[in-house]
Amino acid sequence: MVRLPNQVNPSSAAYQENYAHHHALATEFRERQRIARFERPLRDMQRLARQSKLFVRDRLAALLDPGTPFLELSSLAGNDAYGGEAPCAGQVSGIGIVAGHEVIIHADDASVKGGAWYPLSVKKIVRTLDIAIENRLPVVHLCDSAGGFLPLQAELFPDRMHAGRIFRNQSILSRMGVPQVAIVLGHCTAGGAYIPALSDYNVIVAGTGAIFLGGPPLVKAATGEDVGVEELGGAAMHSSVSGTADYAAASELHALALARDIVGSWPKPGKTALDRTEPEPPDYDVDELYGILPKDPRVQFDMRDVVARLVDGSRFHEYQPDYGTTMLCGFARLWGWRIGILANNGVLFNDSALKGAHFIQLCDKQRIPLLFLQNITGFMVGKDYERRGITKDGAKMIMAVAGASVPKFTVVVNASFGAGTYGMAGRAFDSRLMFAWPNSQVGVMGAEQAANVLTDIKVKQMTRDGRALGAAALEAIRSPILADYRRQSSAYHATSELWDDGMLDPVDTRNAIAIGLSAALNAPIEESRFGVFRL
């Protein structure tokens, strides 16, 4: 591997303008994240205090090993939905260290509608458990939920990937031998009662924790029986009569300490062995990423400059440097692990698609994890390219991405449009983790192109009706289409809908991928099922 040359001039006017723009975007992202994580109405925080409950972030602090990293996932999920009333989709998810064990955490946030599950809450919990299954990560559940948000029940209850998938995933984890512990810190009602019941261990807090399929009002309505919370599903009953709970705790801190003891007793699984050396930082300042990214997302830039600020020693062995040059492929190390990188330096032509497919095969055969850095407008279109088989060649790359057995990670660093999103391991292709930068966009095509296409269709419809349009009328049609498309393709909308596993400040990318790599090695890597052949 050779050290990538420094092509960045921090004193140039373009760099300075780019830096100011992207640093401001990162600052805005961090502020939005802070608000979503910590700002709650005073009445909700007072309600928690009256109930002797800790805020979810304080629960996490007491659970996690001090001084260890916590990779929070989808921290802005739901923030573009429900009128802003469900920050973080009412859930906290992430990968962290508990009693020396790598785990994934799912925590209800009772400061958001009593921990009620919105449709995106369910989607986030399901995704959290998908990550646990894919990476064989033990799970810690912090349970404190009022159950499904009834006004939206049709969007969270009946379908394949709705709430039932949570319990299906828990059952699959149990079958795989991946342990789970639930800490019942509040009410677990209806379907939510199954989270502790399906866990290997569960701890319930006396006085505030409760587990029941139907709470006292429902029992009264259904059977006419008058029964209180404690008698129906409290800590004493479940830990001494029903056996649904294993341990009764005197307080939340006591419950969290018990859970830490339980996790600490689990055997540590051996990790998949991959090529690794002593880690070293990049030779170039990661802060320079702000100046490398262009202010105008349509302006091309060299992804080698991004790679140089993510990988160990800024060293990179480029594969086929003179062929398919709009696809950058090569080997590097990240926190010591050897990885294969695919990054876009322009539209995907026939040769760049074939190059990418072949490189993926090489990495899969050699058990080298893949990192996709997306800045892609799609595969090239046009008569000549179709005659050369661009659709066929693009399908080869998509097949290689889907068939790779090694862990894949994806970061949307700028544009992610069209079928190029799929060829570069988009959401549908099961990357272990997928992140996006604040400037990124994802959609069928760019906002300007989409607005032009949709405006043209509208104009043709009106022309057929005999209506002529002037410039002002055309702009009146185009402007709202453009604004709506930009909103729907923005990084904030994508992460709100959980089309990724969270937004990242670019400077945090290296560490986030390293945590993901470490977690991925808890699971075995299947042998590649194909030989390597040139396409």
Side-chain angles (χ1 to χ4, degrees):
M1 295 185 189
V2 298
R3 182 175 179 267
L4 287 165
N6 187 10
Q7 305 179 100
V8 176
N9 179 11
S11 62
S12 71
Y15 176 94
Q16 297 286 341
E17 186 176 1
N18 291 340
Y19 185 97
H21 176 74
H22 288 285
H23 190 271
L25 289 182
T27 301
E28 178 192 4
F29 159 63
R30 288 189 177 276
E31 177 60 11
R32 288 198 189 195
Q33 191 177 58
R34 184 196 65 78
I35 291 169
R37 285 172 168 171
F38 296 105
E39 287 198 2
R40 299 291 183 272
L42 179 60
R43 66 179 182 278
D44 291 323
M45 300 305 289
Q46 290 174 335
R47 172 173 50 81
L48 294 183
R50 286 195 306 271
Q51 296 171 342
S52 300
K53 290 183 177 181
L54 297 173
F55 180 47
V56 65
R57 302 284 167 177
D58 297 322
R59 290 169 174 172
L60 285 173
L63 176 69
L64 293 163
D65 289 2
T68 58
F70 177 65
L71 177 61
E72 185 171 351
L73 304 172
S74 300
S75 62
L76 295 181
N79 275 41
D80 200 30
Y82 317 124
E85 66 182 26
C88 306
Q91 301 290 317
V92 181
S93 296
I95 299 170
I97 309 297
V98 174
H101 290 251
E102 220 166 23
V103 303
I104 193 161
I105 296 168
H106 143 238
D108 298 313
D109 184 350
S111 71
V112 178
K113 297 289 185 180
W117 291 351
Y118 287 75
L120 287 172
S121 311
V122 169
K123 188 175 182 180
K124 186 170 178 177
I125 300 169
V126 170
R127 174 58 184 155
T128 301
L129 296 179
D130 281 342
I131 293 170
I133 291 169
E134 292 162 357
N135 300 284
R136 297 200 177 183
L137 280 175
V139 186
V140 180
H141 303 275
L142 303 184
C143 305
D144 191 355
S145 172
F149 186 63
L150 292 180
L152 299 176
Q153 65 86 25
E155 300 175 40
L156 61 87
F157 175 73
D159 207 353
R160 179 172 179 266
M161 299 303 291
H162 286 174
R165 194 74 174 186
I166 297 170
F167 316 128
R168 176 266 186 192
N169 278 1
Q170 283 191 269
S171 303
I172 296 299
L173 284 165
S174 183
R175 186 181 71 185
M176 294 169 62
V178 178
Q180 302 172 71
V181 58
I183 311 168
V184 181
L185 301 151
H187 289 190
C188 292
T189 308
Y194 290 111
I195 287 185
L198 289 166
S199 296
D200 301 67
Y201 301 86
N202 73 72
V203 182
I204 186 169
V205 179
T208 56
I211 304 169
F212 30 57
L213 294 180
L218 181 59
V219 170
K220 174 67 174 176
T223 69
E225 181 182 10
D226 285 306
V227 62
V229 168
E230 289 301 311
E231 183 184 3
L232 182 64
M237 193 283 288
H238 277 311
S239 61
S240 65
V241 179
S242 76
T244 303
D246 302 313
Y247 305 94
S251 67
E252 291 201 4
L253 290 177
H254 182 205
L256 293 162
L258 284 170
R260 285 181 51 80
D261 284 347
I262 291 166
V263 174
S265 73
W266 293 340
K268 286 189 178 180
K271 291 205 171 193
T272 297
L274 290 184
D275 182 353
R276 194 181 187 199
T277 59
E278 189 67 24
E280 56 180 307
D283 267 7
Y284 304 125
D285 189 352
V286 67
D287 192 62
E288 291 176 343
L289 287 171
Y290 298 133
I292 291 167
L293 296 170
K295 182 178 178 180
D296 184 343
R298 295 168 298 183
V299 173
Q300 191 61 43
F301 60 96
D302 192 340
M303 288 291 280
R304 293 175 184 83
D305 295 329
V306 172
V307 170
R309 284 148 184 85
L310 297 180
V311 302
D312 290 13
S314 301
R315 290 189 298 275
F316 185 65
H317 176 91
E318 187 169 347
Y319 174 72
Q320 288 192 325
D322 300 322
Y323 178 74
T325 55
T326 61
M327 170 63 78
L328 177 67
C329 297
F331 302 99
R333 292 190 181 272
L334 192 147
W335 276 93
W337 282 293
R338 192 180 187 210
I339 61 170
I341 296 175
L342 295 95
N344 304 117
N345 264 349
V347 68
L348 286 166
F349 293 96
N350 299 72
D351 54 0
S352 46
L354 294 175
K355 172 180 172 179
H358 187 73
F359 181 72
I360 291 167
Q361 288 182 331
L362 290 173
C363 290
D364 199 45
K365 199 68 176 175
Q366 298 176 48
R367 294 162 59 88
I368 299 172
L370 292 163
L371 173 60
F372 294 82
L373 301 176
Q374 287 193 356
N375 177 29
I376 182 63
T377 56
F379 291 94
M380 192 61 191
V381 297
K383 183 179 72 173
D384 289 344
Y385 298 100
E386 292 294 354
R387 290 173 68 86
R388 294 178 205 170
I390 186 63
T391 304
K392 178 176 63 175
D393 293 338
K396 292 171 184 174
M397 185 173 176
I398 287 171
M399 187 73 78
V401 172
S405 300
V406 294
K408 303 186 291 279
F409 300 88
T410 305
V411 182
V412 187
V413 305
N414 194 41
S416 180
F417 296 137
T421 296
Y422 302 152
M424 288 297 292
R427 188 57 152 174
F429 287 80
D430 295 331
S431 287
R432 297 297 179 93
L433 292 172
M434 179 172 178
F435 299 110
W437 289 355
N439 58 297
S440 66
Q441 304 172 51
V442 60
V444 174
M445 61 184 72
E448 286 77 13
Q449 296 95 316
N452 290 339
V453 169
L454 293 171
T455 301
D456 186 54
I457 292 171
K458 184 68 174 176
V459 168
K460 287 179 179 178
Q461 290 172 344
M462 297 179 77
T463 301
R464 283 198 300 268
D465 294 337
R467 287 179 286 173
L469 296 174
L474 284 172
E475 187 59 26
I477 294 172
R478 185 177 184 276
S479 291
I481 294 174
L482 182 61
D484 193 50
Y485 203 92
R486 280 177 173 163
R487 183 189 67 80
Q488 292 186 20
S489 60
S490 74
Y492 285 104
H493 183 74
T495 205
S496 176
E497 294 293 315
L498 284 112
W499 297 345
D500 54 46
D501 294 310
M503 286 172 62
L504 290 175
D505 185 329
V507 302
D508 294 330
T509 304
R510 171 180 160 85
N511 289 342
I513 298 300
I515 292 172
L517 270 167
S518 177
L521 298 184
N522 288 295
I525 299 175
E526 293 181 14
E527 292 296 325
S528 176
R529 297 182 182 180
F530 299 100
V532 178
F533 50 92
R534 294 195 181 275
L535 300 170

PDB file of all heavy atoms in Angstrom, residues 69-73 93-96 433 435 504 511-513 515-516:
ATOM      1  N   PRO A  69     -16.948   3.547  24.254  1.00  0.00           N
ATOM      2  CA  PRO A  69     -17.749   4.199  23.208  1.00  0.00           C
ATOM      3  C   PRO A  69     -19.141   3.600  23.104  1.00  0.00           C
ATOM      4  O   PRO A  69     -19.348   2.410  23.357  1.00  0.00           O
ATOM      5  CB  PRO A  69     -16.943   3.937  21.932  1.00  0.00           C
ATOM      6  CG  PRO A  69     -16.184   2.683  22.222  1.00  0.00           C
ATOM      7  CD  PRO A  69     -15.866   2.711  23.689  1.00  0.00           C
ATOM      8  N   PHE A  70     -20.089   4.433  22.718  1.00  0.00           N
ATOM      9  CA  PHE A  70     -21.456   3.977  22.438  1.00  0.00           C
ATOM     10  C   PHE A  70     -21.840   4.529  21.077  1.00  0.00           C
ATOM     11  O   PHE A  70     -21.867   5.744  20.875  1.00  0.00           O
ATOM     12  CB  PHE A  70     -22.424   4.476  23.513  1.00  0.00           C
ATOM     13  CG  PHE A  70     -23.870   4.096  23.248  1.00  0.00           C
ATOM     14  CD1 PHE A  70     -24.259   2.768  23.251  1.00  0.00           C
ATOM     15  CD2 PHE A  70     -24.827   5.074  23.003  1.00  0.00           C
ATOM     16  CE1 PHE A  70     -25.577   2.410  23.012  1.00  0.00           C
ATOM     17  CE2 PHE A  70     -26.152   4.726  22.763  1.00  0.00           C
ATOM     18  CZ  PHE A  70     -26.538   3.387  22.775  1.00  0.00           C
ATOM     19  N   LEU A  71     -22.088   3.629  20.124  1.00  0.00           N
ATOM     20  CA  LEU A  71     -22.479   4.030  18.787  1.00  0.00           C
ATOM     21  C   LEU A  71     -23.999   4.056  18.718  1.00  0.00           C
ATOM     22  O   LEU A  71     -24.643   3.018  18.554  1.00  0.00           O
ATOM     23  CB  LEU A  71     -21.912   3.060  17.742  1.00  0.00           C
ATOM     24  CG  LEU A  71     -22.316   3.327  16.286  1.00  0.00           C
ATOM     25  CD1 LEU A  71     -21.855   4.702  15.820  1.00  0.00           C
ATOM     26  CD2 LEU A  71     -21.770   2.233  15.364  1.00  0.00           C
ATOM     27  N   GLU A  72     -24.578   5.245  18.873  1.00  0.00           N
ATOM     28  CA  GLU A  72     -26.028   5.356  18.799  1.00  0.00           C
ATOM     29  C   GLU A  72     -26.478   5.272  17.347  1.00  0.00           C
ATOM     30  O   GLU A  72     -25.873   5.869  16.457  1.00  0.00           O
ATOM     31  CB  GLU A  72     -26.513   6.658  19.423  1.00  0.00           C
ATOM     32  CG  GLU A  72     -28.029   6.746  19.458  1.00  0.00           C
ATOM     33  CD  GLU A  72     -28.567   7.922  20.252  1.00  0.00           C
ATOM     34  OE1 GLU A  72     -27.773   8.600  20.933  1.00  0.00           O
ATOM     35  OE2 GLU A  72     -29.792   8.158  20.182  1.00  0.00           O
ATOM     36  N   LEU A  73     -27.557   4.550  17.126  1.00  0.00           N
ATOM     37  CA  LEU A  73     -28.083   4.336  15.785  1.00  0.00           C
ATOM     38  C   LEU A  73     -29.395   5.096  15.605  1.00  0.00           C
ATOM     39  O   LEU A  73     -30.217   5.164  16.522  1.00  0.00           O
ATOM     40  CB  LEU A  73     -28.305   2.844  15.540  1.00  0.00           C
ATOM     41  CG  LEU A  73     -27.075   1.953  15.735  1.00  0.00           C
ATOM     42  CD1 LEU A  73     -27.460   0.486  15.656  1.00  0.00           C
ATOM     43  CD2 LEU A  73     -25.988   2.286  14.728  1.00  0.00           C
ATOM     44  N   SER A  93     -31.363   3.254  20.430  1.00  0.00           N
ATOM     45  CA  SER A  93     -30.709   2.015  20.024  1.00  0.00           C
ATOM     46  C   SER A  93     -29.232   2.294  19.817  1.00  0.00           C
ATOM     47  O   SER A  93     -28.859   3.393  19.394  1.00  0.00           O
ATOM     48  CB  SER A  93     -31.306   1.474  18.718  1.00  0.00           C
ATOM     49  OG  SER A  93     -32.657   1.112  18.877  1.00  0.00           O
ATOM     50  N   GLY A  94     -28.408   1.298  20.082  1.00  0.00           N
ATOM     51  CA  GLY A  94     -26.988   1.487  19.819  1.00  0.00           C
ATOM     52  C   GLY A  94     -26.148   0.317  20.265  1.00  0.00           C
ATOM     53  O   GLY A  94     -26.614  -0.596  20.957  1.00  0.00           O
ATOM     54  N   ILE A  95     -24.889   0.341  19.836  1.00  0.00           N
ATOM     55  CA  ILE A  95     -23.909  -0.697  20.170  1.00  0.00           C
ATOM     56  C   ILE A  95     -22.969  -0.144  21.227  1.00  0.00           C
ATOM     57  O   ILE A  95     -22.394   0.936  21.058  1.00  0.00           O
ATOM     58  CB  ILE A  95     -23.128  -1.124  18.913  1.00  0.00           C
ATOM     59  CG1 ILE A  95     -24.084  -1.699  17.858  1.00  0.00           C
ATOM     60  CG2 ILE A  95     -22.044  -2.148  19.269  1.00  0.00           C
ATOM     61  CD1 ILE A  95     -23.435  -1.929  16.498  1.00  0.00           C
ATOM     62  N   GLY A  96     -22.830  -0.871  22.326  1.00  0.00           N
ATOM     63  CA  GLY A  96     -21.975  -0.406  23.410  1.00  0.00           C
ATOM     64  C   GLY A  96     -21.380  -1.569  24.184  1.00  0.00           C
ATOM     65  O   GLY A  96     -21.559  -2.742  23.826  1.00  0.00           O
ATOM     66  N   LEU A 433     -24.152  -1.998   8.545  1.00  0.00           N
ATOM     67  CA  LEU A 433     -24.557  -0.663   8.978  1.00  0.00           C
ATOM     68  C   LEU A 433     -24.476   0.264   7.773  1.00  0.00           C
ATOM     69  O   LEU A 433     -23.579   0.127   6.932  1.00  0.00           O
ATOM     70  CB  LEU A 433     -23.653  -0.132  10.095  1.00  0.00           C
ATOM     71  CG  LEU A 433     -23.738  -0.836  11.449  1.00  0.00           C
ATOM     72  CD1 LEU A 433     -22.657  -0.321  12.389  1.00  0.00           C
ATOM     73  CD2 LEU A 433     -25.117  -0.685  12.091  1.00  0.00           C
ATOM     74  N   PHE A 435     -24.701   4.509   6.912  1.00  0.00           N
ATOM     75  CA  PHE A 435     -24.744   5.862   7.465  1.00  0.00           C
ATOM     76  C   PHE A 435     -24.800   6.893   6.341  1.00  0.00           C
ATOM     77  O   PHE A 435     -24.520   6.582   5.180  1.00  0.00           O
ATOM     78  CB  PHE A 435     -23.512   6.134   8.335  1.00  0.00           C
ATOM     79  CG  PHE A 435     -23.390   5.216   9.525  1.00  0.00           C
ATOM     80  CD1 PHE A 435     -22.398   4.251   9.576  1.00  0.00           C
ATOM     81  CD2 PHE A 435     -24.267   5.321  10.596  1.00  0.00           C
ATOM     82  CE1 PHE A 435     -22.276   3.400  10.670  1.00  0.00           C
ATOM     83  CE2 PHE A 435     -24.166   4.482  11.690  1.00  0.00           C
ATOM     84  CZ  PHE A 435     -23.154   3.520  11.722  1.00  0.00           C
ATOM     85  N   LEU A 504     -24.138  10.846  10.329  1.00  0.00           N
ATOM     86  CA  LEU A 504     -22.837  11.012  10.985  1.00  0.00           C
ATOM     87  C   LEU A 504     -22.246  12.361  10.619  1.00  0.00           C
ATOM     88  O   LEU A 504     -22.342  12.792   9.458  1.00  0.00           O
ATOM     89  CB  LEU A 504     -21.846   9.940  10.537  1.00  0.00           C
ATOM     90  CG  LEU A 504     -22.051   8.495  10.990  1.00  0.00           C
ATOM     91  CD1 LEU A 504     -21.013   7.612  10.319  1.00  0.00           C
ATOM     92  CD2 LEU A 504     -21.981   8.374  12.501  1.00  0.00           C
ATOM     93  N   ASN A 511     -14.456   6.102  13.168  1.00  0.00           N
ATOM     94  CA  ASN A 511     -14.718   5.396  14.420  1.00  0.00           C
ATOM     95  C   ASN A 511     -16.016   4.599  14.358  1.00  0.00           C
ATOM     96  O   ASN A 511     -16.109   3.490  14.893  1.00  0.00           O
ATOM     97  CB  ASN A 511     -14.771   6.389  15.581  1.00  0.00           C
ATOM     98  CG  ASN A 511     -13.405   6.955  15.912  1.00  0.00           C
ATOM     99  OD1 ASN A 511     -12.379   6.407  15.523  1.00  0.00           O
ATOM    100  ND2 ASN A 511     -13.380   8.067  16.618  1.00  0.00           N
ATOM    101  N   ALA A 512     -17.040   5.162  13.696  1.00  0.00           N
ATOM    102  CA  ALA A 512     -18.319   4.461  13.591  1.00  0.00           C
ATOM    103  C   ALA A 512     -18.160   3.156  12.815  1.00  0.00           C
ATOM    104  O   ALA A 512     -18.696   2.105  13.215  1.00  0.00           O
ATOM    105  CB  ALA A 512     -19.361   5.354  12.930  1.00  0.00           C
ATOM    106  N   ILE A 513     -17.436   3.196  11.709  1.00  0.00           N
ATOM    107  CA  ILE A 513     -17.227   1.982  10.921  1.00  0.00           C
ATOM    108  C   ILE A 513     -16.392   0.971  11.707  1.00  0.00           C
ATOM    109  O   ILE A 513     -16.639  -0.244  11.642  1.00  0.00           O
ATOM    110  CB  ILE A 513     -16.557   2.309   9.569  1.00  0.00           C
ATOM    111  CG1 ILE A 513     -17.463   3.215   8.724  1.00  0.00           C
ATOM    112  CG2 ILE A 513     -16.232   1.025   8.804  1.00  0.00           C
ATOM    113  CD1 ILE A 513     -18.809   2.628   8.394  1.00  0.00           C
ATOM    114  N   ILE A 515     -16.388   0.496  14.973  1.00  0.00           N
ATOM    115  CA  ILE A 515     -17.273  -0.168  15.933  1.00  0.00           C
ATOM    116  C   ILE A 515     -18.139  -1.191  15.214  1.00  0.00           C
ATOM    117  O   ILE A 515     -18.358  -2.307  15.703  1.00  0.00           O
ATOM    118  CB  ILE A 515     -18.143   0.878  16.667  1.00  0.00           C
ATOM    119  CG1 ILE A 515     -17.258   1.752  17.582  1.00  0.00           C
ATOM    120  CG2 ILE A 515     -19.240   0.197  17.486  1.00  0.00           C
ATOM    121  CD1 ILE A 515     -17.986   2.925  18.211  1.00  0.00           C
ATOM    122  N   GLY A 516     -18.628  -0.828  14.039  1.00  0.00           N
ATOM    123  CA  GLY A 516     -19.416  -1.771  13.254  1.00  0.00           C
ATOM    124  C   GLY A 516     -18.619  -3.000  12.848  1.00  0.00           C
ATOM    125  O   GLY A 516     -19.126  -4.134  12.893  1.00  0.00           O
TER     126      GLY A 516
END
